[in-house]
Amino acid sequence: MLEIDDQLQIDDAELIERFVRASGPGGQNVNKVASAVELRFDVVNSAALPDALRARLLARRDRRLTAEGVLVIQASRFRDQAKNREDARARLVELIRAAQRVPKKRVATKPTRASKERRISEKKNRAGIKSHRGRQTWSGD
């Protein structure tokens, strides 16, 4: 069981882990051992997620989310497979916890009378400055 919080746990059967060879440091070991982890979690068909949380996860513009609604997390930060597995699971938990927070609704407000007056007076001031930049007529004759 992957524990997100007190009320939400994801069954290990819903997580698909695939171990692949990682690039980067590791010497000769890097060509032999599949230490990188690719963790897949089907957000659309998960029984553990409430509908509101599922909708927020799917609404995110995340490149790790496929068109079918599968979240793919790749972990290859460590040289050890077990550490990469824990890292991938921790990142999944972090992502779901971030989606649990409901964003505050924005309350539309109107500009105050004083701010409107300040804006208009500043516009008039700018217009006056720009009007003096035009051609000057010299009546020196």
Side-chain angles (χ1 to χ4, degrees), residues 4-134:
I4 308 299
D5 61 9
D6 296 338
Q7 292 90 19
L8 184 63
Q9 293 91 19
I10 297 173
D11 191 22
D12 285 336
E14 291 189 41
L15 302 175
I16 301 167
E17 292 175 330
R18 201 177 86 175
F19 302 102
V20 293
R21 289 187 184 149
S23 62
Q28 294 175 352
N29 202 38
V30 79
N31 297 324
K32 298 180 203 169
V33 180
S35 60
V37 178
E38 185 181 272
L39 179 69
R40 292 177 165 270
F41 176 60
D42 193 356
V43 176
V44 174
N45 299 319
S46 175
L49 296 178
D51 290 335
L53 178 59
R54 179 180 293 116
R56 279 195 298 277
L57 272 171
L58 292 172
R60 293 178 78 124
R61 288 213 157 123
D62 200 330
R63 59 183 170 80
R64 295 171 290 191
L65 197 63
T66 65
E68 295 83 32
V70 178
L71 189 64
V72 181
I73 296 175
Q74 294 176 337
S76 60
R77 193 181 313 180
F78 303 102
R79 287 172 60 173
D80 186 26
Q81 188 185 74
K83 285 182 183 177
N84 282 330
R85 188 172 182 228
E86 288 301 312
D87 182 40
R89 287 171 169 252
R91 286 175 19 205
L92 177 63
V93 168
E94 185 180 311
L95 191 72
I96 293 173
R97 281 186 184 156
Q100 279 181 322
R101 287 190 284 277
V102 180
K104 269 201 256 181
K105 266 208 147 175
R106 184 187 176 277
V107 179
T109 58
K110 293 181 181 177
T112 62
R113 184 176 176 181
S115 69
K116 285 181 189 175
E117 288 173 1
R118 278 194 304 270
R119 186 176 68 76
I120 297 297
S121 69
E122 183 58 34
K123 282 172 71 94
K124 286 182 180 177
N125 188 23
R126 274 313 288 166
I129 291 170
K130 288 185 174 187
S131 69
H132 292 308
R133 291 184 190 159

Side-chain angles (χ1 to χ4, degrees), residues 134-140:
R135 283 186 187 246
Q136 298 290 330
T137 55
W138 300 100
S139 57

